[in-house]
Amino acid sequence: MGKWDWLQERNRGIHLTIRDIDCKDFDARRLAKDLHELDVNFLTFFSGGYVTTYQTDIELQRKSPFLGNRDITGEIITALHAYGIKALPSIELGVMPLTAGDAHPEWCSRDIDGNPYVVAEQLYACCPLGGYHHELGSRFVEEVLSRYEIDGLYWCGASYGFQAYGSGICYCDKCRADFLAVSGLEIPVKKDWNDPAWRTFLKWRTEKTTQSAKRIYDMVKRLDPDMPVIGNSVCFGDPSWTMNSSLDMEQISKYQDTVIIEAQTRVKIDETADRENWHSLTWPDEEARYMTTISDNPVWIVVSYFLAWPWRRTAVPPVEQKIYLAQIAANGATLQVNLSGGPPATHNDSRGFQAIKELYGFLKRHKAYYDHDRSGAATAIVFSQETLIHYGRENGMERYVESIRGAEQALLDAHIPFDILSAKTLSGEKLSQYRTLILPSLCCMSEEEASRIRDFVNGGGNLIATFETSLYDENGNRRSDFLLGDLFCAASIGESKRVNGEQDGVLKQAYIKIAGDHDILRGIDDADVIPIYGQYCPVRADGSAQASPLKLSAPFRVFPEGLSYTLEDGPEYPMVVLSENGKGGRVAYFPNQLDKSYLKIGFPDLGRLIANTVRWAAHGEEQLRIVGPDSLNVSLRTKPGLRMVHLINLAGGRRFFTSLVPIREISVGLAEDIQVKRAFMLSSGQELAVSEDGTFQSVVVPELLDYDVVVFVVSEP
């Protein structure tokens, strides 16, 4: 068995941030024992970097002042291996000691005035083009590999990017010279999206980040080709980190044997505005669905044990922690929890370990059902890195990610299995797995991407798109018309506008008017309007489109109530354009922000429209039929001879969840054209009676508290 074989399995991990003070009395044996009792099977931990936990021979490197003569790295590795736990020391190249930066000022990342970026008054931020990365990085690797028997090398996220300890822009001599040589330009003085040099700089910075990841990968492989290389990062769910660090996970993942993606943030407190900003409860679900489609190995999703941010010493309540982690397990990724401090037994708040013990124990007992499973989804949402950067710009969450999350939420609420694909990875082979693609505001699109989507639809695939999809090129330049206009059966006839009219200081209401009957309106009864938010594209449908059942109404004022009406007719712009080609491929184009509207206001008809359109596009065919509340999160996973429906109960009231309301009598129906031999609950082994109802073979789950899996044993065709 090679050093990397274990990565192919679904594992249960902890990352340990060892602080300086923890080195004073660190108990490696207690750590290994605690982890063993939690059913953990791998640990990543601080070893080399701004907190170095072994006796390094590298000059200018800072060891923990509390380390003394100890080798805590070695102690941890020995203790872990005694319990059969994999040991992966981590190296951090994003920051360096002041002594190193003062001795080698050319290693520092610098601001526009030439001053080094200072971190925590003890460290300088490193430029990834500098010698701390290139020279000391190699020495760290040589030192660790020569001293210890380890199971992989873990690189902290700041090790290969322009991470935002400063402005995210480095003006050191190396960066200036490299950018000038590549582009013939000076590094921009400020972020200016109207300046072509800024866009050129972003492309250059992203390429340098990817090159840095490759250099680290090659550095390790030269010394030990079998040594797993693993890096920590984030994807589009945190646009500010993605942008400032110029992270392109589709490219970076090529140079890692597996990649760790963070879903740590729960709530950020903005003290200046005296408000809180909650991160999405389903962020781990999103990251797992996305990253597992761009990596051949199971991705690791790391979440915080503590209330991130800013509280590192208080645990997330166990109820919420378990359902947060369960979303990772349900969608094909490996779970990892980030701790800060020493062994679990020494933590100020130990209540959160209950959730880890329950779920990790469950995964260990049922490991055979998780290893090498695959998504069974026939629907995929497509994400575009170019749209996040060049269309989202400084407001990627509001301008783009919220549209994706609105589509996600509608599918989750309707219990429709789905994946998330990268626009860069679309290919005939990959797309053959899906019946329907959803493009939520995928505004920036290349000719190649459009060609692949066009081939998919012309071959009988289905497409749903919203708002300004394909109206911009991959560099963010607006086109005169949609690149996919031939598929949409629609043409742009003007700049996008707000659905509630001009911003004249009058609070207005805006609606989509139901102007006909159609399958996409199923369940929207006894109503002739649907509320809508945001912007729309004025479009003209061509003659091959079906008559639109949705039109834009004229907006009218909210107050005073006695004048809350309009005598004007609406502009009659279609709010959906529907069509079908000769191969049966169906296309629905919504020239509005239906998806974002659903995320923002949560009105059920908006989500129902999206879900109904997915079902219409698939000619009414469904993979699953779930009878249960929309707070039930569902994923479909497959293995030979098995179909596994993961069920997560999100009915917990307000966050942080401290209790869950059990869901009872959940009907789970499988529509695949195969014979179900038997079905059972994974947690208990309880057999479930299988009944046939038309095309569905169904079971009833008596009760779900937090997380469980319905396993269908099937006869393969």
Side-chain angles (χ1 to χ4, degrees):
M1 183 174 183
K3 291 181 180 179
W4 52 267
D5 290 352
W6 67 280
L7 294 175
Q8 302 293 335
E9 302 174 356
R10 300 280 291 281
N11 295 288
R12 309 170 303 279
I14 294 290
H15 173 69
L16 186 61
T17 299
I18 302 175
R19 304 166 300 169
D20 275 342
I21 191 66
D22 300 317
C23 295
K24 188 175 183 180
D25 54 3
F26 196 92
D27 189 339
R29 292 182 179 178
R30 182 57 186 266
L31 170 68
K33 182 176 183 294
D34 289 350
L35 297 183
H36 172 70
E37 291 175 352
L38 289 172
D39 290 312
V40 170
N41 73 335
F42 75 88
L43 174 75
T44 61
F45 62 95
F46 271 28
S47 177
Y50 67 93
V51 177
T52 298
T53 60
Y54 69 94
Q55 301 297 325
T56 178
D57 293 330
I58 300 173
E59 317 82 29
L60 303 176
Q61 182 50 43
R62 175 185 181 274
K63 293 185 293 186
S64 167
F66 299 96
L67 185 62
N69 295 320
R70 294 180 63 188
D71 177 3
I72 291 176
T73 293
E75 293 174 23
I76 291 174
I77 293 168
T78 299
L80 292 175
H81 284 169
Y83 283 97
I85 299 172
K86 303 291 185 183
L88 296 90
S90 70
I91 296 174
E92 167 67 84
L93 297 181
V95 293
M96 63 181 157
L98 297 181
T99 52
D102 291 339
H104 292 276
E106 72 277 10
W107 293 356
C108 296
S109 183
R110 296 185 176 275
D111 65 20
I112 187 64
D113 297 318
N115 301 311
Y117 291 117
V118 179
V119 180
E121 300 179 352
Q122 302 177 50
L123 306 164
Y124 289 131
C126 300
C127 173
L129 274 62
Y132 193 81
H133 271 244
H134 291 244
E135 298 167 26
L136 263 68
S138 295
R139 293 186 62 188
F140 267 129
V141 173
E142 292 170 359
E143 200 167 58
V144 170
L145 293 185
S146 65
R147 293 188 184 188
Y148 307 111
E149 288 293 326
I150 60 176
D151 303 289
L153 267 180
Y154 169 95
W155 296 87
C156 295
S159 293
Y160 44 75
F162 294 83
Q163 81 101 289
Y165 280 130
S167 68
I169 309 175
C170 179
Y171 296 94
C172 76
D173 291 343
K174 281 185 177 292
C175 285
R176 288 179 181 272
D178 194 290
F179 183 63
L180 182 64
V182 170
S183 68
L185 301 170
E186 297 292 335
I187 293 176
V189 174
K190 61 180 181 179
K191 300 176 183 178
D192 182 358
W193 290 94
N194 295 317
D195 180 2
W198 174 247
R199 298 184 188 183
T200 303
F201 172 73
L202 285 181
K203 182 177 180 181
W204 170 86
R205 191 171 65 175
T206 300
E207 290 173 350
K208 293 303 169 184
T209 299
T210 302
Q211 289 173 14
S212 184
K214 183 179 185 302
R215 185 180 64 252
I216 288 173
Y217 183 84
D218 292 342
M219 182 191 338
V220 177
K221 296 299 183 178
R222 278 195 299 269
L223 295 169
D224 186 344
D226 291 331
M227 182 60 60
V229 179
I230 299 157
N232 177 43
S233 194
V234 74
C235 54
F236 65 84
D238 191 334
S240 60
W241 186 0
T242 303
M243 288 283 290
N244 287 335
S245 295
S246 291
L247 301 174
D248 185 340
M249 292 315 305
E250 293 94 336
Q251 296 301 316
I252 290 174
S253 64
K254 296 176 181 178
Y255 307 114
Q256 295 172 353
D257 293 306
T258 196
V259 61
I260 302 177
I261 295 293
E262 292 197 13
Q264 297 217 56
T265 307
R266 310 303 177 90
V267 58
K268 288 185 178 179
I269 303 299
D270 184 348
E271 294 186 359
T272 59
D274 193 23
R275 68 182 181 186
E276 76 288 344
N277 296 305
W278 283 93
H279 217 302
S280 170
L281 178 64
T282 57
W283 191 16
D285 176 287
E286 172 185 273
E287 292 204 326
R289 290 180 194 267
Y290 171 57
M291 291 304 301
T292 53
T293 67
I294 68 170
S295 174
D296 292 333
N297 294 327
V299 173
W300 298 357
I301 308 293
V302 58
V303 308
S304 55
Y305 175 81
F306 40 82
L307 307 188
W309 312 99
W311 301 282
R312 288 185 177 270
R313 313 316 304 162
T314 300
V316 171
V319 171
E320 176 158 326
Q321 187 72 287
K322 187 173 180 182
I323 61 173
Y324 205 70
L325 289 166
Q327 296 173 68
I328 303 169
N331 289 287
T334 280
L335 290 71
Q336 187 177 30
V337 177
N338 180 17
L339 304 181
S340 175
T346 67
H347 278 246
N348 299 96
D349 185 347
S350 63
R351 292 172 293 178
F353 294 112
Q354 172 191 337
I356 299 171
K357 174 63 177 176
E358 289 177 2
L359 189 54
Y360 279 20
F362 182 90
L363 297 177
K364 180 181 179 181
R365 291 191 300 275
H366 304 295
K367 190 174 186 296
Y369 293 91
Y370 289 89
D371 287 347
H372 311 295
D373 66 336
R374 293 289 183 265
S375 170
T379 299
I381 293 171
V382 182
F383 160 74
S384 160
Q385 179 86 354
E386 280 68 31
T387 300
L388 180 69
I389 295 173
H390 297 295
Y391 186 83
R393 300 185 175 185
E394 296 304 302
N395 298 297
M397 181 62 71
E398 293 79 9
R399 287 176 60 84
Y400 183 41
V401 176
E402 286 182 347
S403 296
I404 296 174
R405 287 188 167 167
E408 290 176 25
Q409 194 61 55
L411 299 186
L412 288 171
D413 290 348
H415 309 127
I416 296 174
F418 69 96
D419 293 336
I420 303 176
L421 304 179
S422 164
K424 291 182 180 178
T425 62
L426 300 182
S427 65
E429 180 181 0
K430 183 177 286 289
L431 292 181
S432 67
Q433 304 172 42
Y434 303 99
R435 291 202 297 259
T436 303
L437 298 181
I438 303 175
L439 315 182
S441 293
L442 201 159
C443 303
C444 298
M445 184 178 293
S446 69
E447 294 280 354
E448 182 180 1
E449 290 164 353
S451 177
R452 291 176 177 177
I453 293 169
R454 192 173 287 112
D455 289 345
F456 172 76
V457 175
N458 290 338
N462 309 305
L463 182 69
I464 300 169
T466 67
F467 195 42
E468 294 185 329
T469 290
S470 80
L471 196 53
Y472 296 76
D473 68 18
E474 62 269 35
N475 297 313
N477 300 306
R478 195 181 193 278
R479 296 184 167 102
S480 60
D481 204 349
F482 305 108
L483 185 57
L484 294 180
D486 56 323
L487 297 183
F488 296 166
C489 296
S492 170
I493 56 173
E495 296 289 330
S496 296
K497 304 176 182 179
R498 298 196 64 82
V499 292
N500 58 356
E502 297 298 326
Q503 299 299 295
D504 53 8
V506 176
L507 180 61
K508 295 177 182 178
Q509 46 193 305
Y511 299 93
I512 294 174
K513 180 173 64 176
I514 297 176
D517 188 24
H518 199 277
D519 286 346
I520 69 171
L521 299 170
R522 184 173 299 171
I524 305 176
D525 303 317
D526 301 321
D528 55 19
V529 293
I530 300 171
I532 191 67
Y533 167 92
Q535 296 178 285
Y536 73 99
C537 300
V539 299
R540 179 181 61 249
D542 67 30
S544 60
Q546 301 175 11
S548 179
L550 300 175
K551 304 286 186 179
L552 181 64
S553 292
F556 55 92
R557 66 172 58 244
V558 176
F559 298 110
E561 293 180 65
L563 299 179
S564 183
Y565 58 87
T566 180
L567 297 177
E568 304 171 6
D569 292 329
E572 293 298 307
Y573 289 124
M575 287 289 96
V576 66
V577 183
L578 304 168
S579 60
E580 181 174 347
N581 62 31
K583 291 289 186 70
R586 289 180 169 179
V587 177
Y589 167 59
F590 291 90
N592 52 61
Q593 295 180 301
L594 176 72
D595 34 33
K596 182 176 180 178
S597 296
Y598 186 51
L599 185 74
K600 287 287 193 181
I601 63 179
F603 190 71
D605 287 349
L606 296 167
R608 194 171 287 124
L609 262 180
I610 296 171
N612 283 346
T613 304
V614 172
R615 296 184 181 109
W616 167 81
H619 296 260
E621 296 180 6
E622 298 181 77
Q623 292 184 277
L624 294 176
R625 178 173 290 173
I626 307 292
V627 180
D630 57 12
S631 56
L632 177 66
N633 189 317
V634 175
S635 297
L636 175 63
R637 307 290 297 177
T638 73
K639 292 188 72 171
L642 298 176
R643 302 295 182 269
M644 296 167 290
V645 181
H646 294 251
L647 306 174
I648 304 173
N649 180 7
L650 300 184
R654 68 182 182 87
R655 297 178 71 183
F656 285 101
F657 290 7
T658 56
S659 62
L660 290 172
V661 179
I663 305 174
R664 296 184 174 88
E665 302 298 312
I666 304 167
S667 176
V668 180
L670 190 67
E672 196 171 349
D673 187 22
I674 50 180
Q675 182 61 44
V676 174
K677 296 180 179 179
R678 55 185 283 257
F680 61 92
M681 299 303 301
L682 188 57
S683 61
S684 63
Q686 177 186 355
E687 293 285 333
L688 301 173
V690 181
S691 61
E692 293 194 20
D693 177 17
T695 59
F696 292 91
Q697 299 173 81
S698 301
V699 300
V700 174
V701 177
E703 181 175 291
L704 176 72
L705 177 60
D706 44 36
Y707 169 62
D708 212 330
V709 184
V710 178
V711 179
F712 292 92
V713 181
V714 302
S715 298
E716 295 287 2

